[in-house]
Amino acid sequence: MTYVLVKNGTLIDGIGGEPLQDAAVLLKDNQIKQVGRASEIRLPDEDVEILDAQNGYILPGLFDTHVHMMMEFSNLEKTVSTPFSYHFYQAIEHMKKTVNAGITSVRDAGFTDVGVKQAIENGLVLGPRMQVSINPLTITGGHGDSWTRSGIDTTRPTYPGMPSGLCDGPEQVRQRVREMLRAGADIIKVHATGGVMSPTDHPEFTQFSFEELSIIVEEARFRRGIKVMAHAQGAEGVKNAVRAGIHSIEHGIFLDDEAIELMLKHGTYLVPTLLAPVAVLEQGKNSNNMPAHAIQKALEVVDIHHESVTKAFKAGVKIAMGTDAGVMPHGTNLRELNLMCGIGMSPMESIVATTKVAAECLGWEDKLGTVEDGKLADLVITKVNPLTDISSLENQDNIVIVVKDGKVVKDLRVGATNLVTQ
């Protein structure tokens, strides 16, 4: 059994209370055993290794509840010419960048199979703790169907462990959910509306009927207790999804008052991904990665998106941090927090959305999301106070230490290459 004492820092525990100065956190293996002021920690009568926070700020391991680990958007030529297996090797770097940003837990919203998750769990590669949705469900011609009017289909190929998500009608929908569950899905992802990135639809277009969405929820939740997340941008699609019992709304671009009221009534989470349309516009300006249809739709929605999420936050909808990473480069996830502050959140509220609320959204609140006795030992130490400069989190050099499952997986401290035994 190994004890580690994290000391000489200010604790921002993820719960939202006042930061605790001169804080210490005692870890044993992969669990938090004690939290409090350094003078209050009762040290065991055995060796304790010291992890010096060097006057930094101690936070829980951070979450991103909407990522795509097996992709990072590129132009069409590169997409169609890249060998299939290359994406797995790229993902190793995507996952490393994610952890280096302080993100120790993610919910993958599509295209990552169980083998990638198992490789992380078994220590073959460094990556965040994962929930995977395997492949999103989509209608023919909807968001997720990458068939283009030239006849070229750029939809990612299916393979063992990655069944097709294309389905139309109640029976196909039921079968596809069962196939995703068979493939090991921790959560089911459905495209309830069109989207910005898809070539033949629009974010306001409604996809899947209420009956079909209800079947998805029934198959997932009632049979296995598994939740459903819905890409939902248009108001009618959002309302269909919420009424059907879907757990979280991803994006929520065109929220109206009725949609917000329904989300409040049902306790539905909103994962805004404010960074996604911003990133589309940035890449459209600075590279040739983005197709014209995506840039045009992002221009249409970026301001409306901001207004909708602002209205939802002010109404009290539960907001969990998510980015759509893969649309933008992995490792830039924490830009989302500054954008969340732009809708009226305080820096502390944005941090809570990235820790406690995000853990609750994933159903992991009993073991992650806050720095408390009994939780898993996921910690992040920053050298700049994020409560006075939330944008400081965007610079990975300010994320000095990352601890996942009690193990230091990143350490940028000057002059501190090893733990010191007390």
Side-chain angles (χ1 to χ4, degrees):
M1 298 293 184
T2 302
Y3 283 94
V4 175
L5 182 68
V6 184
K7 61 183 291 189
N8 194 22
T10 298
L11 177 65
I12 301 172
D13 61 12
I15 300 171
E18 281 294 314
L20 180 66
Q21 295 182 346
D22 190 28
V25 183
L26 183 65
L27 313 178
K28 183 178 183 182
D29 297 327
N30 70 335
Q31 191 175 55
I32 297 172
K33 303 303 290 185
Q34 293 181 54
V35 181
R37 295 192 186 279
S39 59
E40 299 169 346
I41 299 294
R42 302 177 307 281
L43 295 178
D45 188 20
E46 53 188 284
D47 286 345
V48 178
E49 295 178 329
I50 302 299
L51 184 59
D52 186 356
Q54 296 186 337
N55 296 313
Y57 296 82
I58 306 166
L59 289 80
L62 305 175
F63 281 70
D64 189 331
T65 67
H66 190 124
V67 302
H68 299 280
M69 279 298 170
M70 281 288 292
M71 63 167 271
E72 194 164 279
F73 204 84
S74 59
N75 63 52
L76 181 60
E77 180 183 359
K78 186 174 181 181
T79 298
V80 299
S81 63
T82 299
F84 171 70
S85 60
Y86 188 80
H87 296 293
F88 288 90
Y89 296 96
Q90 279 184 315
I92 295 172
E93 189 65 18
H94 298 165
M95 294 185 292
K96 181 180 178 181
K97 288 178 178 178
T98 301
V99 171
N100 283 339
I103 306 288
T104 59
S105 297
V106 301
R107 184 175 60 165
D108 192 284
F111 320 122
T112 301
D113 68 35
V114 167
V116 177
K117 173 185 169 183
Q118 287 181 352
I120 295 169
E121 292 174 346
N122 293 340
L124 294 180
V125 295
L126 174 64
R129 188 178 288 99
M130 264 191 202
Q131 289 183 7
V132 295
S133 61
I134 311 296
N135 206 356
L137 276 56
T138 190
I139 64 168
T140 300
H143 188 68
D145 181 357
S146 295
W147 183 91
T148 64
R149 290 186 175 123
S150 68
I152 295 173
D153 188 351
T154 62
T155 304
R156 281 176 170 255
T158 60
Y159 59 90
M162 183 62 60
S164 170
L166 199 65
C167 49
D168 299 290
E171 291 312 309
Q172 282 192 1
V173 161
R174 194 181 299 276
Q175 179 177 345
R176 288 292 185 263
V177 174
R178 291 173 179 176
E179 288 174 352
M180 298 307 160
L181 295 174
R182 182 178 65 184
D186 302 299
I187 187 163
I188 297 297
K189 165 82 176 295
V190 60
H191 293 143
T193 71
V196 169
M197 303 297 293
S198 38
T200 58
D201 66 14
H202 186 273
E204 290 186 278
F205 290 179
T206 300
Q207 298 180 182
F208 292 112
S209 66
F210 173 75
E211 178 190 7
E212 290 167 325
L213 293 172
S214 298
I215 288 170
I216 292 168
V217 171
E218 175 189 336
E219 284 293 323
R221 188 177 67 190
F222 296 162
R223 289 177 181 267
R224 301 247 190 128
I226 287 175
K227 300 182 177 79
V228 180
M229 61 190 293
H231 163 107
Q233 300 183 353
E236 290 307 312
V238 169
K239 286 181 275 193
N240 282 345
V242 175
R243 290 184 177 119
I246 280 170
H247 177 69
S248 69
I249 297 297
E250 315 298 303
H251 315 302
I253 291 174
F254 293 95
L255 298 177
D256 61 19
D257 291 341
E258 184 183 13
I260 290 171
E261 285 300 317
L262 282 169
M263 293 180 75
L264 290 169
K265 177 181 176 182
H266 289 262
T268 313
Y269 288 86
L270 174 62
V271 179
T273 68
L274 292 163
L275 183 54
V278 172
V280 169
L281 294 176
E282 288 176 347
Q283 292 186 64
K285 181 179 179 181
N286 300 322
S287 74
N288 65 344
N289 282 351
M290 284 296 156
H293 66 260
I295 296 169
Q296 180 57 45
K297 286 189 278 186
L299 282 169
E300 290 177 27
V301 306
V302 66
D303 291 335
I304 295 169
H305 191 192
H306 182 276
E307 293 167 8
S308 288
V309 177
T310 299
K311 186 163 56 174
F313 167 66
K314 290 181 177 178
V317 172
K318 294 184 291 188
I319 292 179
M321 192 282 250
T323 63
D324 220 356
V327 173
M328 74 289 302
H330 292 279
T332 64
N333 313 60
L334 298 187
R335 291 182 63 194
E336 183 77 14
L337 276 72
N338 198 33
L339 295 173
M340 293 169 84
C341 290
I343 66 159
M345 282 187 167
S346 67
M348 180 66 85
E349 287 171 324
S350 73
I351 289 170
V352 172
T354 313
T355 53
K356 180 177 183 289
V357 179
E360 291 168 350
C361 182
L362 271 62
W364 283 349
E365 67 274 14
D366 61 330
K367 58 184 179 181
L368 291 162
T370 58
V371 183
E372 296 181 278
D373 296 1
K375 295 287 183 80
L376 291 179
D378 279 19
L379 300 174
V380 171
I381 299 175
T382 70
K383 68 180 180 182
V384 179
N385 184 355
L387 299 178
T388 57
D389 183 6
I390 194 67
S391 63
S392 67
L393 296 176
E394 299 172 15
N395 183 347
Q396 287 200 6
D397 290 342
N398 290 328
I399 310 296
V400 181
I401 295 174
V402 179
V403 179
K404 183 192 170 203
D405 261 338
K407 298 176 181 177
V408 177
V409 294
K410 177 184 179 181
D411 190 350
L412 299 183
R413 293 173 300 163
V414 176
T417 57
N418 296 296
L419 298 179
V420 178
T421 302
Q422 176 174 296

